[in-house]
Structure formats: C-alpha cells, structure tokens
Amino acid sequence: MSFLNENENWRGLTKKTELIQSNVQGRPKKRGKYLTPCPDIQIIRQRPKFSLNLPLLVNGNSLGPAKIGKQFIAVRNTCAFDSIVQSMLTAYHDFATYYQHITESKNAIHDFVEALSKSGVSSKLYNERCVILKHTSEIKNGVLDCEINVATLIELHILPNTPSLEIKINCNDCQYEKISIIPVLELNPDPIFKEAMRGLQEAVCKSVEHYVSKTRNECCFCKGTNITKTFAGGSHIFLNLEAAEIGLLAARRGLANCRKQFTLSEIPGNLNYCDRQYKMVSAIIFVAGHYYACIKRATGRWEEHNDLCSSQKVMTITKRDVLKQRRTPLLFYVRI
C-alpha cells in the first residue's frame, strides 16, 4: 500500500497522504468441526473400495508348477492356505480397522493379501505362495504337498506371531515382562455340545479363562510371585472348533447325540471378546479332505470362496444353502 504515501497533484492541489494505521486486530478464523481432520475418515478413504467381486486363488492342483529361482515346483493341496487368505482379503476390503492392521503390521502373509487385492491373481503371486508354503512340508521329486490342518498352518507357519489372544505377565519385583501369543483359540467344546452355536460366546469366555489360568503364577526370571497378568484380543481371532466335532469326547460328557455340524445362519454375527466387539467374517468348511471358506460380506451376503471352483470365481451362497449343515472346524472374526 505504498501508493497511499505518494504525492498527488489533482487540479494543481498537492496533497500528501499517509498510511492509515489500524489498532484493530482481526481474530483468527476458527476452523469448523466438519473441516477438522478425522483419522477414521482418513482410514476409510485410504482403504480399498468395497468390491463385490474379489479375486479368487486357484488351488495348486489345477495349476502348473511354480518357479522359485531356477527350480520348478508342483504345489499341491493349497486349500487350507487359500481359504485363510480369502478370509483375510475380505476383511481387508470390508473393514477399515482390519485394513489398517494389514497395512501397518508387515509380514509375508499380509504382503500377500495386499498384493492379491491390488494386482489380482498372477503367476508371480502363485510363485510367492510357493515360497510361503515351502516350509510346511518337504519337497519330494519336485512336488510340494501342502496338505495340512488349517489351525496348524496358522499356528506354526503363516501367522505364528499374530495373536488371537495375547497374555502379558509383568513381575512387580524385577520388572521382567513376558508375552505369550496364542494365534488360534482352542475352544472349550462343552457349551457347544449343550447349546450348539448358541453356546459359542460362553465357549470363548471359558477358553480365555483357561489360557490365562494356565500361565505360570511366578516370574520366570526371579521366581517371585508378585506378578500381574493382563490379556487382550488381537485384530482378529481364529476360533478352533475341532474339539466340538469329536463324538467320543461328547459321549464322555454324556452328550453323544449332540450336533456336530451347523448351518451358517446359526453362527453368531458378533462376539464380545476381551471387552471388544468382533464381527464374523468367515467359516472355514471341511468336506472330504478339502477346505474352503464361506464368507459373510459387510452387506450381509454370503459367498463361497472355493479354490477348486470350476469357474474360478467367487460364488454367491443361496438362502437355501445357508441353512445347510456343514462341518465347520474354524471361524474367523475381526475386531470392529
């Protein structure tokens, strides 16, 4: 505004103007609450867009050999791995909190899920699957047989350090801390024997109590007993229901006639676990030596993710099939 201080010559009159100084200070504009950044909204914007058509992994039995370095390996019976990945992939797309968990906690299986979401199935991805699974079994004559119990696969090979339940023991004397990670929660079958899936919530609570009580009541370092135990659920929980399928165990409880197969509609959609709410995502089904995933999308639609599907596509489960009884050894829930 320096021009205000210049001399003016209008009609022969000379006038000198001076810069006007104002003592009024403007108040800073307050940012509206609707313009304040919200971390939850940021996560929702960053996560993958909801898609009804998710990519589907194909079983290694239907594919040619994978290539690792200069070696060609025929990968067989990948259904246990594929059903787990399809379940995690769905949660990655449908739930913002689980998307954040996958992107922030890096490991081989999380990277695999991200790659499947972004690029879809490819020969490169199948080669990576072979790399992940090559430690599950010995390669014989160029063949890697990945037939394995689905809970064992999670616990020992692909998610051993990702907790469904985490128990922390702190020694108040020497400050020693020990953390126990349970990747798969083995359920107490008694409530399920008695009430079928209506007893799932009680079975989960009893199992947590069992795991916590089973931990040592003394410090591993100083052998003191002045310890504090705390426990928490993970970003997801895998629930192992195989004990509920053992007929001999049910007979010993005096419940030989209890049901050992359940419909998808019976599975509770929500669980209260370690003071947090969890949402049901998938039921891993086992039929004739083959695993596949029955997945409930965020929209409520049921889908069958079967890596032996001839069309190599995700299939919608009809209302009639939802009422069909199935053998369900594993359930997958995510924290919401």
Side-chain angles (χ1 to χ4, degrees):
M1 300 177 64
S2 60
F3 66 91
L4 295 177
N5 296 323
E6 295 178 356
N7 292 333
E8 296 182 0
N9 189 7
W10 183 69
R11 290 187 179 182
L13 299 176
T14 302
K15 183 178 180 181
K16 187 176 181 179
T17 59
E18 295 182 357
L19 183 64
I20 299 174
Q21 300 291 337
S22 175
N23 295 326
V24 179
Q25 295 182 355
R27 294 181 180 179
K29 291 185 178 180
K30 187 176 181 180
R31 193 175 180 86
K33 65 179 181 179
Y34 295 106
L35 298 178
T36 303
C38 176
D40 294 335
I41 297 298
Q42 188 176 6
I43 293 171
I44 292 173
R45 287 179 175 177
Q46 290 177 350
R47 73 174 179 175
K49 292 183 179 179
F50 179 82
S51 174
L52 288 176
N53 301 314
L54 295 178
L56 179 67
L57 291 171
V58 177
N59 196 297
N61 296 351
S62 304
L63 299 172
K67 185 179 180 181
I68 301 179
K70 296 182 179 180
Q71 186 180 13
F72 288 90
I73 302 173
V75 186
R76 299 289 179 260
N77 301 317
T78 60
C79 58
F81 176 85
D82 295 342
S83 59
I84 295 168
V85 169
Q86 293 295 145
S87 301
M88 296 176 68
L89 174 69
T90 304
Y92 176 79
H93 274 265
D94 288 4
F95 299 95
T97 52
Y98 199 69
Y99 166 82
Q100 186 179 21
H101 165 68
I102 291 288
T103 53
E104 291 181 355
S105 54
K106 293 293 184 179
N107 59 37
I109 191 70
H110 290 172
D111 292 342
F112 188 91
V113 170
E114 282 194 276
L116 178 60
S117 172
K118 294 176 181 178
S119 305
V121 293
S122 63
S123 58
K124 180 180 178 181
L125 195 71
Y126 288 132
N127 292 341
E128 183 60 30
R129 179 175 65 178
C130 180
V131 172
I132 296 173
L133 291 174
K134 69 178 181 179
H135 302 292
T136 62
S137 178
E138 183 181 355
I139 300 174
K140 297 180 180 179
N141 300 321
V143 177
L144 175 62
D145 190 351
C146 302
E147 185 175 359
I148 189 173
N149 178 275
V150 66
T152 304
L153 178 64
I154 296 169
E155 290 176 325
L156 300 183
H157 299 289
I158 62 175
L159 291 169
N161 299 316
T162 304
S164 289
L165 176 66
E166 182 179 273
I167 303 173
K168 186 182 295 185
I169 300 176
N170 292 299
C171 179
N172 298 319
D173 294 330
C174 68
Q175 308 304 317
Y176 177 78
E177 180 181 272
K178 181 182 178 181
I179 298 176
S180 299
I181 292 177
I182 294 93
V184 179
L185 202 67
E186 303 281 346
L187 289 187
N188 184 321
D190 291 344
I192 298 176
F193 286 152
K194 296 176 182 178
E195 301 183 41
M197 279 296 170
R198 294 189 302 275
L200 184 64
Q201 179 68 70
E202 183 183 353
V204 170
C205 293
K206 285 189 173 183
S207 297
V208 172
E209 292 174 1
H210 170 72
Y211 277 106
V212 174
S213 63
K214 194 171 65 172
T215 56
R216 298 180 60 175
N217 292 320
E218 65 176 15
C219 176
C220 299
F221 188 74
C222 70
K223 306 302 180 183
T225 57
N226 185 17
I227 62 172
T228 303
K229 291 183 182 180
T230 57
F231 59 91
S235 295
H236 65 234
I237 50 174
F238 285 102
L239 303 178
N240 189 351
L241 277 71
E242 288 184 306
E245 301 174 354
I246 302 175
L248 181 60
L249 185 60
R252 289 178 179 176
R253 303 288 202 277
L255 300 166
N257 296 325
C258 67
R259 290 169 51 202
K260 301 173 183 63
Q261 295 186 356
F262 311 99
T263 66
L264 297 176
S265 60
E266 290 180 280
I267 302 173
N270 295 280
L271 282 179
N272 185 12
Y273 176 68
C274 297
D275 298 326
R276 299 294 296 270
Q277 286 292 321
Y278 285 77
K279 189 82 171 178
M280 188 266 182
V281 176
S282 76
I284 308 298
I285 310 300
F286 185 73
V287 178
H290 175 65
Y291 290 104
Y292 65 92
C294 288
I295 293 176
K296 189 175 185 180
R297 301 299 303 274
T299 59
R301 186 179 77 166
W302 281 96
E303 296 177 347
E304 181 179 300
H305 292 233
N306 192 337
D307 62 358
L308 287 180
C309 180
S310 58
S311 64
Q312 298 184 0
K313 293 182 180 179
V314 173
M315 305 299 292
T316 301
I317 300 177
T318 63
K319 292 183 179 180
R320 176 179 294 181
D321 287 338
V322 169
L323 301 176
K324 180 181 177 182
Q325 293 191 9
R326 308 164 192 262
R327 183 181 174 187
T328 311
L330 195 74
L331 297 177
F332 176 61
Y333 285 74
V334 297
R335 188 172 62 201
I336 56 176

